[in-house]
Amino acid sequence: MIKRLQRKFIAIAMGSLFLILLVILSGVNGVTFYQMNQNADSLLHLLAENEGRFPDSAPLPPPKKDSGSRIPMTEETPFETRYFLARTDEAGAVIQVDTGHIAAVDYAQAKEYAQTVLDGGSQSGYLNQYKYLAAEKEYGTLILFLDRGTQLQSSFSLLVLSGIIALATLAVMFLLITLLSRRAIRPVMESVEKQKRFITDASHEIKTPLAIICANAEVLEMTEGASEWTESIQNQVRRMNGLVQGLLTLSRLDEDQVRLVFADFVLSDVVEQTVQPFEALAQSQGKRLSISIAPGLSMKGEEDGIRQAVSILLDNAVKYALPGSRIDVILDKQGKYARFEVENACDPVPENLTALFDRFYRADASRSRDSGGYGIGLSVAKAVVEAHKGRICARKTGENTVCFQILLPL
């Protein structure tokens, strides 16, 4: 449990850090690209207002307010800017191309770019590395193309570099959080350890008086004869012994240091052997077991623990199944898992089936007491199954039918 808590702490911390870095990187790169795009729009609108030329006067006049310009122009701007343009008539035919301000594009390429923009019908956007703007004029359309290759490459380099830095930061933080996580959850670890120690010590201490009470009750039966009082004492001692054993099992399975002894065994044989005693018990209560067990299913695990989990589900089914009803017991193969199911009719079906696996939970407290339950059996079954990397669940399969399912890796 401590390891699960530690992993969850690391996952939450790393997830939070990842989200923060993602927001920062998205903001920085987004603002950079936005500013680059605004600068390009400023230059294109300025060129469009001056028929594809920069103004000759110095200093350059600021662009009009409605031109979309965001940056001031300087005397060096015309020499730093690489662009080309094309003019079309009202019919959309290219009548003039100017490539005098760029060396990477010739007349044919410029005309092809212009025709592509005309066919697309968009007023502005990107075509490869060129930001373009189509401005309506008296003679037709002026199409301007601004070379943004250097700026796009810089933006991409910034994105890659910031991504590498972010990944390095995540790696370093993962190591630090992993090393410091045990210190962060140390108070919780100490509390859990004290709780486990209390359960273990209290369970062992309770065993002694229970044994004495049971022995005294047996002596009374031998000397005074059996009575309803001695029988009640024996029943309650058995209940308490079961509770103590369940608590010890849970405490043992919660210990991360305790390693279950796994070995190969035939699951089909274990289930069949466990089911047999419950057939007679169910029949004595007017209920019937329908058993379907696939032969030859094997797994690696702790045989006694699996036997206990199967027994708990069967015991619950026999206790709470409606009189005269049928209890279906199925063991088969489902992909890489062995599927064990126990389905029975009961009334009423608990609304919160997930809560049935909580410790000391009772869907019907009075009925549980009458049947000898104490709300810990399903918790033990869940702990055993999870210790074998399996899954256990309960679901409603009919109006008055509930099915408990265990999936165990083969």
Side-chain angles (χ1 to χ4, degrees), residues 88-164:
T88 70
D89 56 19
E90 294 181 354
V94 178
I95 58 176
Q96 184 184 2
V97 172
D98 182 2
T99 59
H101 301 279
I102 191 169
V105 179
D106 58 22
Y107 178 90
Q109 290 174 323
K111 189 174 181 179
E112 183 181 351
Y113 277 121
Q115 192 62 50
T116 302
V117 171
L118 290 173
D119 294 340
S122 177
Q123 297 296 315
S124 64
Y126 276 92
L127 188 59
N128 295 334
Q129 68 186 45
Y130 301 104
K131 173 80 172 176
Y132 66 86
L133 174 67
E136 296 298 328
K137 298 293 182 178
E138 295 179 356
Y139 52 81
T141 305
L142 172 63
I143 307 175
L144 293 157
F145 294 87
L146 190 64
D147 185 3
R148 307 304 287 172
T150 303
Q151 291 76 13
L152 289 173
Q153 183 62 39
S154 298
S155 298
F156 180 74
S157 299
L158 174 62
L159 178 62
V160 172
L161 181 60
S162 59
I164 293 174

Side-chain angles (χ1 to χ4, degrees), residues 211-279:
I212 295 173
I213 292 172
C214 184
N216 290 341
E218 291 176 353
V219 171
L220 286 175
E221 286 182 343
M222 288 187 294
T223 57
E224 304 294 334
S227 66
E228 59 177 318
W229 310 114
T230 56
E231 184 179 353
S232 176
I233 291 172
Q234 295 283 14
N235 288 335
Q236 294 303 317
V237 168
R238 281 192 291 270
R239 289 188 70 249
M240 288 299 297
N241 277 326
L243 176 60
V244 169
Q245 187 59 43
L247 289 173
L248 287 174
T249 301
L250 286 174
S251 179
R252 181 174 67 95
L253 292 173
D254 282 342
E255 290 284 350
D256 293 327
Q257 295 81 9
V258 175
R259 306 290 293 182
L260 298 179
V261 180
F262 282 9
D264 294 327
F265 65 92
V266 181
L267 178 62
S268 300
D269 294 345
V270 169
V271 172
E272 186 174 1
Q273 294 167 8
T274 307
V275 170
Q276 286 177 356
F278 287 94
E279 288 189 88

